[in-house]
Amino acid sequence: MALTLWLSLAFKVLGASSEVRQFFLKQASGQDCQTLQLGESWISHSVLDCQLKCFGRYSENCQAVVYNSQTGICRPGSIAFGPIEKVTTSIPETGSSDKLYYVRQPIPPCNTSNNFSLYDVYGTSPCLYLSTSKANNYNDARTLCSQMNSRLFVANTMAKFSLFWYTSETHMNEDTFVGLQDIDAEGNFVWENGEPLSPEQSQYVWLPSEPNDDYGDEDCVDVRHADWPDEFGFNDGQCNETRHYVCER
Ligand SMILES: *[C@@H]1O[C@H](CO)[C@@H](O)[C@H](O)[C@H]1NC(C)=O
Ligand SMILES: *[C@@H]1O[C@H](CO)[C@@H](O)[C@H](O)[C@H]1NC(C)=O
Ligand SMILES: *[C@@H]1O[C@H](CO)[C@@H](O)[C@H](O)[C@H]1NC(C)=O
């Protein structure tokens, strides 16, 4: 595939504020960086949509996107710094509503016993078990993961959130529990690793009008098959529903 040098982007990154530039150069290991546009840009309604389409079209060649939230313009990209650094972070370019999102990170080892596999998409590489049958309820899903030395999937980055949605749709195609609940205190959502859902995460994980604690007893979070492929996001549902689940090691 022919790549055209993405000069305008490289210029914008290097012209960003010193704080941003330092961070960028640190990630780039002090080497000269080249940013390449993979093909034509398009309009996306969100940065997630921009990332998903970039991966859909270019798979692992998509290592970055530039997204402009004002115009919706999404540019699929690839980053080369000599040896390619795989990182997942976003770098706001101050003074411009264009933002550069890196979408790669190092691939960790995966212990594949109990049918766990490495899923290397959307710039993240977790070691996952995708259920082949449904758990009776959220606690049952927790126990099943724990019996395999793992825990329910913690989608605490944008990349892991995208991956969860993608794997649920393409591998299970059913409602699926994620490791997030507010059982102890209504409205205080906590990941299975004990981290609270951050305000930043709250801005992108929920479906429109969720979480709504419908009937006052929706404390366990899932993605809903009924919403695919038009919308993706989380729903707070009942903990006692039978659902598929994803374990992470
Ligand atoms: C793992 O995969 C094998 C072969 O597909 C299957 O027989 C077995 O039930 C699976 N185990 C689990 C825990 O899903
Ligand atoms: C992989 O996981 C299994 C199940 O938890 C465990 O018994 C085994 O020791 C692990 N293997 C390695 C190499 O860590
Ligand atoms: C879950 O609990 C709710 C409220 O207690 C109840 O209405 C519903 O039937 C239960 N669902 C299942 C699958 O047990």
Side-chain angles (χ1 to χ4, degrees):
M1 185 186 312
L3 300 177
T4 51
L5 187 58
W6 207 351
L7 280 171
S8 63
L9 175 64
F11 177 78
K12 277 184 185 159
V13 169
L14 295 171
S17 79
S18 61
E19 187 187 338
V20 170
R21 186 168 64 240
Q22 275 168 17
F23 183 53
F24 181 79
L25 291 173
K26 185 172 141 212
Q27 295 294 354
S29 309
Q31 300 180 38
D32 287 345
C33 119
Q34 292 183 355
T35 308
L36 307 164
Q37 184 157 351
L38 293 169
E40 296 297 313
S41 55
W42 59 81
I43 302 291
S44 276
H45 58 76
S46 69
V47 65
L48 275 176
D49 186 65
C50 174
Q51 290 179 315
L52 290 165
K53 287 204 173 74
C54 181
F55 270 98
R57 291 178 194 186
Y58 299 106
S59 72
E60 63 264 47
N61 289 325
C62 171
Q63 293 161 331
V65 294
V66 172
Y67 182 65
N68 186 312
S69 59
Q70 286 175 10
T71 60
I73 292 172
C74 172
R75 290 187 279 163
S78 163
I79 301 264
F81 317 118
I84 292 172
E85 293 283 341
K86 294 179 174 179
V87 291
T88 177
T89 186
S90 65
I91 301 198
E93 295 177 58
T94 52
S96 161
S97 46
D98 270 354
K99 288 186 183 177
L100 171 65
Y101 296 85
Y102 290 127
V103 288
R104 302 294 297 168
Q105 67 175 18
I107 296 176
C110 177
N111 178 337
T112 56
S113 66
N114 310 102
N115 298 354
F116 276 68
S117 301
L118 184 79
Y119 289 83
D120 183 26
V121 272
Y122 301 135
T124 187
S125 315
C127 183
L128 303 180
Y129 170 77
L130 309 182
S131 66
T132 49
S133 56
K134 294 181 182 181
N136 295 325
N137 52 52
Y138 188 87
N139 258 329
D140 185 37
R142 259 183 178 160
T143 305
L144 290 163
C145 290
S146 150
Q147 284 167 352
M148 297 190 288
N149 283 332
S150 66
R151 65 175 174 233
L152 278 170
F153 185 58
V154 172
N156 60 352
T157 63
M158 194 178 273
K160 290 179 80 180
F161 170 69
S162 302
L163 177 140
F164 181 77
W165 176 83
Y166 166 84
T167 50
S168 303
E169 183 184 16
T170 58
H171 294 265
M172 290 173 291
N173 205 24
E174 295 272 4
D175 295 2
T176 308
F177 280 130
V178 67
L180 181 66
Q181 44 74 28
D182 69 339
I183 295 168
D184 291 338
E186 179 53 39
N188 290 343
F189 285 91
V190 181
W191 297 107
E192 284 296 306
N193 64 357
E195 280 175 26
L197 182 73
S198 72
E200 188 200 15
Q201 291 160 3
S202 303
Q203 287 175 13
Y204 65 78
V205 300
W206 299 112
L207 283 166
S209 78
E210 302 292 347
N212 61 2
D213 197 34
D214 217 0
Y215 305 108
D217 70 345
E218 294 193 331
D219 294 338
C220 292
V221 175
D222 62 276
V223 293
R224 291 186 302 195
H225 175 249
D227 299 314
W228 299 329
D230 299 329
E231 287 186 323
F232 49 93
F234 292 162
N235 163 57
D236 60 334
Q238 291 182 351
C239 298
N240 65 354
E241 292 291 332
T242 63
R243 296 196 197 288
H244 276 276
Y245 56 99
V246 174
C247 307
E248 176 180 23
R249 206 172 247 168

